[in-house]
Amino acid sequence: MHQRGDINGKRNSWHVPGTHPLGPASNAHTADQPVACTLAMKSHHRLETAKDQITMEVAGSAARNGFEEGLSGGTETPGAKQITTWKQVQELAATKRAEPPNFEKSYLDDQSSMFYNRIMWRDWQYLHEVDLPSSQHFDFTVLSYNILSQDLLEKYMYLYQHCSPDILRWEYRWPKILRELQYWDAEVLCLQEVQEDHYRQYVQPTLSAYGYNSHYKRRTGRRTDGCCTSFKAQYFTLLCERHVEYFRPGIEVLNCDNVGIVLLLQPRLADSQDGCPPTPLCVANTHLAYHPERGDAKLAQVALLLAEVDELSCSSNGSRCPIILCGDLNSTPNSPLYQLLHNGVLDCKRGLPAWKVSGQRLSGPPHSKPLSSPLWPDILGINNHCQYVTQKATRTTDRRMYTREDILQLRDYALLRPEYLAVIEGVTDKQPGGEELGPRLLLQHRLNLTSAYLHYLAAKNRPEVTILSLGVGSTVDYIFYSAEPFPARPNKGLRFFVDGQLKLLGRLCLLSEDDLLKAQGLPNPWYSSDHLHLVARFSLELSK
């Protein structure tokens, strides 16, 4: 069932099927009839961009036909121009730019709002219904959003040449970003690319006024953006906070200025739910390195984050609390990095080139360096299970001691083909010994994570995308959550999961590449970031 849901920011409160999610249902509106309406609500948003916050509800098939007539050039109001193409939206934009700038009114008028709303409409997909009494479950919503740092936007302006300069200004973008945050009213927000001065001046004060406690970590070095995790103090209490810096001096594979935040949150129960304290919830938020050729750095960053999550989510009795992992991972769903997170294992036996780790490119540079094994030095204190280990004092000896694994690794390096060896048919075009080249890299974790999204739109027969970079769409943003593994086919290395203590109730559907191309990419006058936001609704069972 695909319907737009209205969460209303209340625990255990859901839109009732058959009623309009954005307002009172019309008498003619039934669950079987299509409905066209805009995303924004005057009563919900409290913003002063009145023209942008219009609400339109059309009930019944007859009303919908009239709506479509208006968009396709039906009966016109005298003096009004019907907008049906992107060119007409651009013409309207040119007219708007000719006027004195006034960011208190919207860049869009009513008709262009309907144009974008029809193209970029996102359904709410219900997945499960809670069959437990309200006293035995705790429901909450998670939103993950890369809001696009203004400094990065201005640094890489060539990526946004399709946009009018007006809609790229922070004064225009922030109210629209806030509109989305207000509308979904999620109990947990995981934001990426939050600029530090904007966090202090806009994000933190505004979210605080709406009842959120916010925690921020700026990227290291000279970077001005970072990650922000916020939660509603009415629903959660902070137990522990960890800031993860991926830059480690002297470690080549960890020389990027990316960061992450891991929070341990205790749900606050209603009076009717009083009893033994519920299990905590571990929430991780991160933004991994972008460079497609730095797959080694991305794997090392993920290992560091998973080690923090593993340590924070594990209780003294050995049990593990539910986990939510959000962020911009700069990796696609068919990548080895995604395989590590979802399947719990990454086994590279052929010297995997670093550029293949993220899946961002179909081809890489010639003579690219394969991933090394081990990927990071022992001084980092993390094993190949992505867990922290206790460092043991090494015994000083006059001779280097080699294990069998060390000898086999040296054998693998001896079989590597020199990068600039000339190819002579029958002489240097053969692999030594006819065996696979490169050392073996094996990474694992035991957190049992699965994605809240399927990465495919069955109704449109198209992959889901969260960005459209230079005309090419892909998924790089994720919400992972802990589930229970289900017996899988060992010959394909796939893992399947079923919901356990943490159940996925629903999610906000993503769009396809075709949808974003019709809207002339991201950002646009309707969405003010170059990423789509992800929203998922969960239920935490209290009886376990």
Side-chain angles (χ1 to χ4, degrees), residues 322-334:
I323 299 166
I324 301 284
L325 192 156
C326 302
D328 178 356
L329 305 185
N330 277 313
S331 302
T332 62
N334 59 349

Side-chain angles (χ1 to χ4, degrees), residues 413-444:
Y413 278 117
L415 295 177
L416 286 175
R417 176 191 180 91
E419 292 184 3
Y420 303 102
L421 180 65
V423 178
I424 304 175
E425 186 175 357
V427 180
T428 62
D429 60 343
K430 304 293 184 182
Q431 296 181 355
E435 297 184 10
E436 296 176 347
L437 302 182
R440 178 187 181 187
L441 174 65
L442 178 64
L443 297 177
Q444 303 176 70

Side-chain angles (χ1 to χ4, degrees), residues 107-162:
Y107 182 78
L108 297 170
D109 69 357
D110 292 359
Q111 292 193 36
S112 53
S113 292
M114 289 188 290
F115 171 84
Y116 278 103
N117 181 58
R118 186 174 65 167
I119 292 176
M120 303 195 67
W121 178 265
R122 298 173 64 183
D123 293 324
W124 181 266
Q125 184 178 13
Y126 291 96
L127 300 174
H128 293 99
E129 293 184 0
V130 180
D131 54 1
L132 295 173
S134 60
S135 61
Q136 297 181 17
H137 62 94
F138 177 89
D139 297 352
F140 62 96
T141 305
V142 177
L143 183 147
S144 182
Y145 198 5
N146 182 326
I147 66 172
L148 179 57
S149 161
Q150 192 69 21
D151 284 349
L152 292 178
L153 183 154
E154 294 173 3
K155 181 178 180 180
Y156 300 104
M157 279 295 294
Y158 68 91
L159 295 174
Y160 312 106
Q161 294 180 1
H162 63 283

Side-chain angles (χ1 to χ4, degrees), residues 18-20 23-31 33 57-60:
T19 62
H20 198 287
S26 169
N27 294 332
H29 176 189
T30 66
Q33 293 172 321
E57 175 178 339
V58 181

Side-chain angles (χ1 to χ4, degrees), residues 143-447:
L143 183 147
S144 182
Y145 198 5
N146 182 326
I147 66 172
L148 179 57
S149 161
Q150 192 69 21
D151 284 349
L152 292 178
L153 183 154
E154 294 173 3
K155 181 178 180 180
Y156 300 104
M157 279 295 294
Y158 68 91
L159 295 174
Y160 312 106
Q161 294 180 1
H162 63 283
C163 300
S164 162
D166 291 346
I167 70 171
L168 296 179
R169 295 187 57 171
W170 177 251
E171 295 85 352
Y172 180 87
R173 296 200 305 117
W174 169 240
K176 290 196 168 287
I177 293 170
L178 181 60
R179 179 194 69 180
E180 298 296 336
L181 301 183
Q182 286 180 307
Y183 178 77
W184 292 110
D185 203 19
E187 284 78 15
V188 179
L189 302 177
C190 293
L191 308 179
Q192 304 88 41
E193 284 195 26
V194 181
Q195 199 164 297
E196 185 177 31
D197 57 339
H198 290 165
Y199 171 76
R200 302 190 185 283
Q201 186 176 354
Y202 297 95
V203 180
Q204 194 277 333
T206 305
L207 294 182
S208 177
Y210 285 101
Y212 288 95
N213 286 347
S214 299
H215 299 263
Y216 180 78
K217 174 60 183 174
R218 200 194 79 171
R219 294 170 67 186
T220 52
R222 297 182 178 180
R223 307 293 184 177
T224 60
D225 65 289
C227 295
C228 169
T229 301
S230 304
F231 60 90
K232 285 204 168 185
Q234 181 182 357
Y235 299 112
F236 292 99
T237 301
L238 179 66
L239 297 180
C240 186
E241 175 181 7
R242 298 275 183 89
H243 290 181
V244 188
E245 294 184 357
Y246 298 139
F247 177 80
R248 300 298 172 94
I251 300 180
E252 182 180 358
V253 73
L254 289 169
N255 59 359
C256 299
D257 295 313
N258 301 86
V259 295
I261 301 178
V262 185
L263 302 182
L264 190 63
L265 304 178
Q266 179 75 49
R268 301 182 66 178
L269 303 182
D271 294 339
S272 60
Q273 297 173 308
D274 285 344
C276 59
T279 179
L281 178 71
C282 184
V283 179
N285 179 21
T286 190
H287 187 185
L288 299 186
Y290 166 76
H291 203 303
E293 296 180 11
R294 290 304 311 275
D296 55 342
K298 297 181 186 186
L299 285 177
Q301 291 176 0
V302 166
L304 264 175
L305 182 67
L306 294 179
E308 290 285 353
V309 172
D310 179 88
E311 186 174 74
L312 203 59
S313 64
C314 191
S315 63
S316 56
N317 61 5
S319 62
R320 194 176 302 281
C321 71
I323 299 166
I324 301 284
L325 192 156
C326 302
D328 178 356
L329 305 185
N330 277 313
S331 302
T332 62
N334 59 349
S335 65
L337 187 142
Y338 180 92
Q339 177 185 346
L340 171 62
L341 283 170
H342 184 269
N343 293 346
V345 61
L346 176 62
D347 190 356
C348 304
K349 299 180 180 179
R350 299 183 179 180
L352 181 71
W355 64 266
K356 285 188 176 182
V357 168
S358 65
Q360 293 169 284
R361 290 184 176 176
L362 299 178
S363 60
H367 312 298
S368 58
K369 181 181 178 181
L371 295 176
S372 61
S373 180
L375 192 58
W376 51 79
D378 293 339
I379 194 175
L380 187 60
I382 297 177
N383 59 21
N384 65 339
H385 287 275
C386 300
Q387 295 174 319
Y388 284 118
V389 295
T390 304
Q391 294 292 327
K392 296 181 180 180
T394 55
R395 184 177 57 181
T396 304
T397 59
D398 295 334
R399 295 189 307 169
R400 172 71 186 270
M401 302 299 293
Y402 290 93
T403 64
R404 182 177 182 276
E405 292 183 356
D406 293 332
I407 299 298
L408 291 176
Q409 182 176 326
L410 292 175
R411 173 179 175 272
D412 289 332
Y413 278 117
L415 295 177
L416 286 175
R417 176 191 180 91
E419 292 184 3
Y420 303 102
L421 180 65
V423 178
I424 304 175
E425 186 175 357
V427 180
T428 62
D429 60 343
K430 304 293 184 182
Q431 296 181 355
E435 297 184 10
E436 296 176 347
L437 302 182
R440 178 187 181 187
L441 174 65
L442 178 64
L443 297 177
Q444 303 176 70
H445 72 83
R446 301 173 182 175
L447 300 181

